[in-house]
Amino acid sequence: MTAEPDGPEDRLRRFATIWSRAVFPVTSTSLTRPEFEQQLVPLARRLSDALRARTFEASEGQAVGAALVAAHCTDPEALSRALDCVDAYLVLYCGEDGPQEALRTRSARLQHAIAAGFAQALRERTLAEQEAISQAALNARSAVAEALHASEARFRAVFEGAAIGIGIADLEGNVLQVNGALLRMFGGSEQSMRGRKVQEWTHPEDAPQVWRLYEELVRGEREHYHVEKAFYRPDGTALWTNLTVSLLRDADGEPQYQLALMEDTTERRLLNLRLRYEATHDALTGLPNRTLFFERLEKALSAGEGQRFGLCYLDLDGFKTINDSLGHAAGDRLLVEVADRLQSCATAPGEMVARLGGDEFVALTTGLDTEREVDALADRIMNALITPVRIDGRELTVRGSIGIVEGPAGERGPAEVLRSADITMYRAKSAGGNRFELADPEADARAITRHGLTTALPAALDRGEFFIEYQPLVHLGDGSVRGAEALVRWLHPQHGVLGPDRFIPLAEHTGLIVPLGRWVLEQSVRQARAWQERHANAGPLRINVNLSPCQLTHPGLVQDTVDILEREGLDADALCLEVTESALIGADDDLLKPLRRLAEMGVDIALDDFGTGYSNLANLRRLPVSILKLDRSFTQGMQQFPADPVDLKIVEGIVSLAHSLDLAVTVEGVETGAQAEQLRILGCDTAQGWYYARPGPPDRLHELALVDATG
Ligand code: C2E
Ligand code: MG
Ligand code: MG
């Protein structure tokens, strides 16, 4: 007989059953086991849902941890069993057939969250209980006082029946009586207690106020106090208690005895310590984790005058490759080995190593002389990585990049310091890795703005923060305006107007250049059409638009351009696209095809910044280019008078070669009349530069053009 395969609901219930069997024996509940299991079903469902949710919420685990405490599973063993059970069965019963690796990671994170939620709930509950105990102490105090005055027998009953430890001493501190609960806590006999003095019960972890409060009480200046205090048991182990001490007065109100009530908190404290350890250490390597590291760093950064800190931020080079090729298990072992080695590098007081996550580690040094020490620390780390790591019979070479930040305490916060270290580490990586670099505030600032600009770019286009300035192109022969080059700018809400050099490379890097370039083309073509309509008498004004190399390889270039020209009603020959010389060096036919198509339609192609790219002049013939734009550097050589004769010869040579290939020559960066004259004599056709006009709004151009046409 074959059983029906279980549905998800059956499997969920089975998981709840296993869970309740594991935890029920250590639970102090009045429910039966099946009733208890019923309580666990919704918790199991939450874990199961969280395990498989599209976006993972570890907080579900916390809620489950808190619910366990609410269900009276407060015994440390109960937590431990619950975690074991989740670890072993959650993925098995609730994981369906999803990717096991990811599910296991989620299960591990859920377990951490359960432990954290459990600890938090327990802490809250403890606080509430402390309140209740204080109240009980007050009640007991009046009860005991009454009993003392009224009936010895009733007092005995209260005293012996109490679940918490009770002791009475006189005002000199001589212990007179203790109850059974107290004896059990201490694990000693009545004789060993009686006749001892309260003052002997000091412990190295006594808080400073403990004995001050005691003195005040026995002097009759205080009625009671409440502290957390440790005691030594006769066998030398520590007993932790919540201790409430009250003053008992006689019938005339004179201080007479002191009454101590104590609750054993040793186990709870141990559990809290264990939970704290788990919450602050990395499960894989056992190193302190990000949380603990931040605490320490924060402390180091808020240390007093003269104190300094040094931080090494290490990221392994090529770890992903190891992980991908040898598998996660091998990657994990490598990380454990690296963690061990790092730990041995930072053993001095004030030093620590932590794992931030993945293959990122940090080492911190604090004190007065960290300027010297942090370098030595980085050296030790690099040396520790030199010996290859053996895994599965393979020798793996480990390399790392380190960013170092060092400085005085009290100036920066942990997040800022860590960001600086991270940026510096990336600098070390992009310089080839396997090295360390020191943080440099200027480089940081540049990287930060670069990062900020990159992330702001896409929204900037949507918000219309870009605008275009136009710079006239002037005919050298008669000085008339023939057209203009469109130059894009970004009106950044914080940084003001940014030039293209600041953001075009970022836009190229992120791919935004394609929509941005299309927008520039559209605006410029529309502008050119507007000039033509309004100032037909000023002659046909042309528009030059810059193209990035990325736009050249974009498949939509030709179609987009054709669409825009048609939509705006501009003739193809009124448009010139500028492509930098370097973008076309070594270009193959595939890359040139779209440009050739555009050229065939009548669009001019200009080779921008010509002369900077060392292209083979003979190569020019291959390119679908009709204009050379001589780079500004040539024009600069003509600023002095007389101009450098070699420069003159070169420009003369280029111009005559260009003309023999039927190319027009435009010069850029003309700043003086002398330059303009010189370039005219050399045979250049058009010029562009501050001498004529700086880039400006579109209206300025037709003012210039109108002056030429009429004057
Ligand atoms: P480019 O195409 O060579 O543009 C000429 C640059 O020289 C412009 O700088 C212009 O302002 C500057 N300039 C003009 N006359 C003078 C002068 O007399 N003296 C000096 N010293 N400089 C002069 P800008 O606007 O900063 O543009 C820089 C580069 O950014 C442009 O170089 C171009 O390659 C790129 N660019 C500008 N707009 C766009 C665009 O819409 N798309 C793309 N892909 N690149 C653009
Ligand atoms: Mg240009
Ligand atoms: Mg140029």
Side-chain angles (χ1 to χ4, degrees):
M1 194 178 88
T2 50
E4 275 289 296
D6 284 351
E9 190 58 29
D10 298 320
R11 287 201 294 272
L12 182 80
R13 292 209 162 253
R14 253 212 266 145
F15 172 59
T17 309
I18 295 176
W19 188 1
S20 73
R21 285 209 181 106
V23 175
F24 184 71
V26 289
T27 306
S28 38
T29 172
S30 51
L31 303 179
T32 64
R33 220 243 338 123
E35 284 169 347
F36 180 68
E37 179 179 327
Q38 237 15 62
Q39 280 203 327
L40 289 186
V41 171
L43 305 188
R45 196 181 311 283
R46 281 186 94 148
L47 292 179
S48 164
D49 290 347
L51 185 74
R52 287 171 299 118
R54 182 183 298 258
T55 47
F56 179 68
E57 297 280 2
S59 59
E60 285 299 294
Q62 281 189 10
V64 170
L68 282 178
V69 174
H72 302 288
C73 300
T74 48
D75 192 296
E77 186 58 26
L79 173 64
S80 164
R81 290 185 184 193
L83 294 181
D84 286 348
C85 181
V86 171
D87 191 44
Y89 298 106
L90 179 63
V91 173
L92 198 64
Y93 282 102
C94 308
E96 309 289 320
D97 28 39
Q100 291 297 301
E101 191 101 35
L103 289 172
R104 292 232 62 90
T105 312
R106 282 185 168 198
S107 161
R109 288 182 59 194
L110 280 172
Q111 289 168 52
H112 266 90
I114 293 173
F118 185 90
Q120 167 81 16
L122 202 55
R123 207 171 304 127
E124 279 159 12
R125 190 186 169 114
T126 306
L127 283 179
E129 278 173 4
Q130 280 173 358
E131 273 293 295
I133 285 171
S134 301
Q135 197 52 48
L138 281 176
N139 296 346
R141 180 173 146 243
S142 49
V144 169
E146 217 172 85
L148 274 174
H149 295 307
S151 146
E152 178 73 16
R154 261 167 65 203
F155 164 69
R156 279 267 141 226
V158 172
F159 191 72
E160 279 309 331
I164 50 174
I166 305 179
I168 296 177
D170 64 20
L171 297 181
E172 277 76 54
N174 299 307
V175 177
L176 303 176
Q177 263 176 335
V178 293
N179 73 349
L182 191 140
L183 283 177
R184 281 192 296 281
M185 278 181 204
F186 274 84
S189 63
E190 179 137 18
Q191 287 87 322
S192 69
M193 286 286 174
R194 220 172 295 147
R196 286 192 62 176
K197 288 196 83 110
V198 171
Q199 295 91 323
E200 291 168 23
W201 273 310
T202 56
H203 190 276
E205 295 205 45
D206 284 343
Q209 76 274 19
V210 165
W211 293 102
R212 183 177 51 75
L213 292 170
Y214 174 82
E215 289 301 332
E216 288 173 12
L217 182 115
V218 294
R219 283 201 303 268
E221 296 163 13
R222 142 184 309 280
E223 294 306 309
H224 54 87
Y225 65 87
H226 180 88
V227 289
E228 199 182 0
K229 177 167 166 36
F231 295 90
Y232 280 121
R233 293 201 183 96
D235 66 2
T237 56
L239 164 72
W240 276 91
T241 64
N242 275 331
L243 171 68
T244 305
V245 183
S246 305
L247 185 63
L248 300 181
R249 296 175 185 270
D250 63 17
D252 303 328
E254 282 302 308
Q256 196 177 20
Y257 300 108
Q258 45 175 323
L259 169 73
L261 294 127
M262 54 179 82
E263 178 208 13
D264 185 345
T265 58
T266 315
E267 279 211 353
R268 193 184 303 157
R269 201 180 148 83
L270 282 178
L271 172 68
N272 280 339
L273 286 178
R274 191 183 125 204
L275 290 175
R276 154 106 186 130
Y277 183 87
E278 277 174 10
T280 53
H281 286 76
D282 169 40
L284 176 66
T285 62
L287 287 183
N289 65 10
R290 179 181 279 271
T291 309
L292 184 54
F293 173 71
F294 254 81
E295 278 176 22
R296 293 284 176 80
L297 181 61
E298 206 152 21
K299 210 156 138 202
L301 292 177
S302 54
E305 184 98 352
Q307 294 289 322
R308 303 181 70 87
F309 73 95
L311 180 82
C312 296
Y313 192 117
L314 168 75
D315 186 288
L316 300 184
D317 297 341
F319 177 71
K320 194 175 162 350
T321 320
I322 294 182
N323 231 3
D324 291 348
S325 56
L326 300 184
H328 287 259
D332 281 357
R333 275 156 65 198
L334 181 79
L335 290 175
V336 171
E337 172 66 24
V338 167
D340 284 349
R341 294 188 188 183
L342 291 181
Q343 188 126 54
S344 67
C345 294
T347 50
E351 291 182 340
M352 88 176 288
V353 170
R355 178 176 177 221
L356 294 188
D359 60 341
E360 291 177 12
F361 297 88
V362 277
L364 178 69
T365 166
T366 54
L368 299 169
D369 194 16
T370 53
E371 257 167 310
R372 200 178 46 77
E373 281 161 10
V374 77
D375 276 342
L377 180 60
D379 269 330
R380 286 203 298 278
I381 294 176
M382 293 309 269
N383 281 330
L385 296 181
I386 287 179
T387 321
V389 178
R390 272 193 86 81
I391 286 173
D392 295 339
R394 283 170 207 260
E395 302 249 304
L396 299 179
T397 310
V398 189
R399 300 257 180 269
S401 303
I402 298 180
I404 299 180
V405 183
E406 195 281 334
E411 286 184 358
R412 286 180 283 178
E416 195 184 338
V417 166
L418 217 62
R419 186 173 54 180
S420 171
D422 186 31
I423 290 171
T424 312
M425 182 276 291
Y426 269 104
R427 195 145 45 81
K429 246 195 212 303
S430 40
N434 193 26
R435 71 190 63 215
F436 54 82
E437 294 275 348
L438 259 168
D440 161 12
E442 270 180 33
D444 278 16
R446 272 200 306 277
I448 289 167
T449 16
R450 196 163 57 229
H451 175 77
L453 290 183
T454 309
T455 48
L457 264 174
L461 187 58
D462 296 338
R463 279 198 291 249
E465 289 172 4
F466 293 101
F467 67 98
I468 301 176
E469 288 192 319
Y470 298 87
Q471 187 176 34
L473 288 150
V474 177
H475 191 261
L476 275 169
D478 60 12
S480 64
V481 174
R482 294 295 171 92
E485 178 175 5
L487 297 161
V488 65
R489 276 92 181 84
W490 179 3
L491 180 57
H492 189 284
Q494 273 100 49
H495 302 292
V497 175
L498 300 177
D501 294 339
R502 290 289 297 280
F503 61 86
I504 292 287
L506 305 179
E508 288 175 338
H509 192 69
T510 55
L512 191 83
I513 190 68
V514 172
L516 177 61
R518 198 185 298 129
W519 179 83
V520 172
L521 183 68
E522 190 163 25
Q523 295 295 308
S524 313
V525 164
R526 186 173 302 159
Q527 185 56 56
R529 176 77 187 133
W531 282 328
Q532 285 187 350
E533 271 175 7
R534 266 181 261 157
H535 309 285
N537 57 340
L541 281 181
R542 316 183 61 227
I543 185 74
N544 284 30
V545 178
N546 292 283
L547 274 194
S548 267
C550 322
Q551 288 173 273
L552 280 186
T553 52
H554 190 264
L557 175 67
V558 176
Q559 195 56 49
D560 283 352
T561 311
V562 172
D563 288 351
I564 290 173
L565 287 172
E566 276 182 4
R567 197 164 54 234
E568 304 299 334
L570 192 76
D571 289 340
D573 58 11
L575 174 66
C576 170
L577 295 176
E578 299 191 3
V579 186
T580 55
E581 183 194 4
S582 48
L584 294 187
I585 289 181
D588 57 19
D589 273 344
D590 275 352
L591 188 71
L592 294 177
K593 209 177 275 166
L595 285 185
R596 203 159 269 141
R597 288 269 318 277
L598 289 166
E600 283 159 9
M601 284 160 35
V603 175
D604 271 321
I605 309 292
L607 208 51
D608 204 354
D609 303 340
F610 184 80
T612 54
Y614 312 103
S615 62
N616 183 348
L617 289 178
N619 216 2
L620 284 176
R621 194 194 288 274
R622 270 184 60 231
L623 302 176
V625 162
S626 49
I627 298 167
L628 285 193
K629 284 191 86 171
L630 267 194
D631 188 66
R632 222 177 19 241
S633 49
F634 293 101
T635 330
Q636 262 157 8
M638 287 166 204
Q639 228 151 18
Q640 314 93 325
F641 191 82
D644 180 30
V646 180
D647 266 0
L648 290 182
K649 271 263 165 296
I650 294 176
V651 174
E652 198 175 9
I654 293 177
V655 170
S656 78
L657 176 79
H659 285 166
S660 72
L661 290 170
D662 242 358
L663 303 176
V665 177
T666 302
V667 285
E668 292 185 289
V670 179
E671 294 180 356
T672 64
Q675 283 172 323
E677 181 56 13
Q678 188 69 262
L679 289 159
R680 190 187 63 78
I681 293 167
L682 288 171
C684 298
D685 305 285
T686 15
Q688 180 181 353
W690 299 347
Y691 171 62
Y692 306 102
R694 301 221 173 203
D699 316 346
R700 274 254 302 283
L701 187 93
H702 55 247
E703 279 164 23
L704 271 172
L706 284 176
V707 170
D708 290 323
T710 53

